[in-house]
């Protein structure tokens, strides 16, 4: 039984080492994802600020009348065409900036979801480790009881044998 107990203790140590290794990997992954989320949030905030700034400028300086004045104040038809094309390109640029902000928001949300999943995996692993530890401690205690009862029986038998030898 003592051999069996030592084998169980060795397997417990191995399981504990594997558990700690997996837990350390999850903590490392959590830190990486948290740093990535912080970076993405910073980028998102910068993009939002740029977008807001450009939209404010656009609304202040580009009312419908201003746009018409800009187009019709051209010296010739070619310049007018270039101005119209510029306004379309600028509107496309603004739309693209808005889309970039949306994409960044989606990336941040995805990373948040990944972080939540990693945290839940860590929690599951911790709970599993606790359950295994409790189970192993129970097995160890049970085996200790068996060993102590066998030792008592051995002492009893040994005393009976010694008494018979004396007679």
């Amino acid at each position: 039984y003592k051999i069996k107990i030592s084998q169980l203790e060795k397997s417990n140590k191995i399981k504990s080492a594997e558990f700690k290794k997996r837990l350390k990997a999850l903590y490392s992954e959590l830190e990486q994802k948290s740093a990535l989320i912080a970076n993405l949030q910073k980028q998102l905030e910068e993009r939002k600020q740029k977008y807001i700034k450009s939209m404010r400028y656009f609304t202040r300086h580009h009312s419908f009348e201003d746009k018409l004045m800009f187009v019709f104040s051209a010296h010739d038809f070619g310049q007018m065409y270039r101005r119209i094309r510029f306004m379309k390109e600028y509107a496309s640029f603004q739309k693209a900036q808005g889309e970039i902000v949306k994409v960044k928001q989606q990336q941040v949300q995805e990373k948040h979801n990944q972080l939540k999943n990693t945290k839940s995996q860590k929690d599951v692993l911790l709970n599993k480790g606790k359950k295994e530890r409790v189970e192993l401690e129970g097995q160890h205690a049970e085996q200790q009881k068996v060993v102590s009862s066998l030792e008592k029986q051995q002492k009893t038998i040994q005393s009976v044998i010694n008494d018979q030898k004396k007679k």
Side-chain angles (χ1 to χ4, degrees):
Y1 277 105
K2 288 189 178 192
I3 293 172
K4 196 172 188 180
I5 290 173
S6 66
Q7 288 174 346
L8 279 175
E9 287 175 353
K10 286 180 184 178
S11 70
N12 287 348
K13 287 180 183 178
I14 292 170
K15 286 181 182 179
S16 178
E18 290 174 2
F19 176 75
K20 287 178 183 177
K21 186 177 178 181
R22 288 173 49 198
L23 194 58
K24 188 175 181 180
L26 282 174
Y27 277 121
S28 173
E29 188 178 341
L30 283 173
E31 288 175 8
Q32 289 174 349
K33 287 184 179 180
S34 294
L36 183 60
I37 287 173
N39 186 22
L40 285 173
Q41 285 178 328
K42 182 180 176 185
Q43 290 177 4
L44 175 62
E45 197 56 38
E46 289 172 0
R47 289 278 183 188
K48 281 183 178 179
Q49 293 303 319
K50 286 180 183 178
Y51 183 70
I52 289 169
K53 186 177 178 182
S54 68
M55 290 306 292
R56 284 182 182 155
Y57 175 81
F58 189 74
T59 55
R60 278 190 211 134
H61 297 93
H62 292 94
S63 66
F64 183 72
E65 292 92 19
D66 289 340
K67 290 178 189 177
L68 285 176
M69 291 293 289
F70 177 69
V71 170
F72 289 124
S73 66
H75 295 298
D76 58 24
F77 187 72
Q79 189 179 24
M80 184 184 295
Y81 176 73
R82 285 190 302 274
R83 289 182 178 191
I84 290 171
R85 193 176 72 209
F86 168 75
M87 288 177 22
K88 285 181 181 179
E89 288 175 5
Y90 189 74
S92 297
F93 172 76
Q94 291 297 324
K95 187 175 181 180
Q97 292 299 311
E99 292 299 319
I100 289 172
V101 168
K102 285 181 185 178
V103 167
K104 286 289 180 190
Q105 284 178 326
Q106 289 173 347
Q107 287 176 342
V108 168
Q109 188 60 41
E110 286 175 19
K111 293 300 175 187
H112 273 296
N113 291 340
Q114 289 176 359
L115 184 64
K116 286 178 185 177
N117 289 339
T118 304
K119 284 181 180 180
S120 66
Q121 288 176 355
K122 179 195 71 147
D123 291 341
V124 166
L125 186 61
L126 283 173
N127 289 334
K128 184 179 177 184
K130 287 177 184 178
K131 287 178 184 177
E132 286 179 2
R133 192 176 325 115
V134 167
E135 187 177 302
L136 290 173
E137 287 172 358
Q139 288 176 355
H140 184 68
E142 186 178 313
Q143 288 178 351
Q144 288 294 347
K145 287 179 185 178
V146 170
V147 167
S148 64
S149 71
L150 288 175
E151 287 174 348
K152 286 180 185 177
Q153 287 178 0
Q154 183 182 6
K155 287 179 184 178
T156 306
I157 292 172
Q158 191 66 35
S159 67
V160 169
I161 291 173
N162 288 340
D163 286 344
Q164 287 179 355
K165 281 184 182 179
K166 290 180 183 178
K167 290 183 184 177

